[in-house]
Amino acid sequence: VITIGSESIQNPEIIQKMQWCGVEYFKAENMMASQIDKISRYIAFCGIDNPDKFFEFMLKQGYYIIEKVTFPDHHNYTKIELDQLVKR
């Protein structure tokens, strides 16, 4: 999971669940372009007011986006939602 912006996943329960699923968690602004795996495929998801801006940022950074999923602005992700995303 790669987040962007100041409001990233802060719920320790959600972070722990991602770790149990073997999902890595990064903040996009802390990554350099050379660190991006441009071969792997990503499902981009967000809960922000302007999701197109997020998706454009990810594509410009070189991520290979195979699916885009949007949630309502300031969405509080549940374990079930993250499970469903991981299974895709």
Side-chain angles (χ1 to χ4, degrees), residues 18-45:
M18 288 189 303
Q19 291 170 342
W20 289 338
C21 295
V23 175
E24 295 183 79
Y25 171 61
F26 304 97
K27 291 191 78 167
E29 53 271 15
N30 294 341
M31 297 180 70
M32 298 177 65
S34 62
Q35 293 176 287
I36 297 170
D37 179 352
K38 296 184 180 171
I39 297 172
S40 293
R41 291 174 268 157
Y42 296 89
I43 296 173
F45 69 98

Side-chain angles (χ1 to χ4, degrees), residues 2 4 44-46 48 50-58:
I2 302 168
I4 179 175
F45 69 98
C46 62
I48 57 177
N50 185 357
D52 291 336
K53 185 176 179 181
F54 168 73
F55 296 132
E56 286 174 25
F57 171 83
M58 298 301 285

Side-chain angles (χ1 to χ4, degrees), residues 1 29 60 73:
V1 172
E29 53 271 15
K60 284 180 184 175
D73 193 21

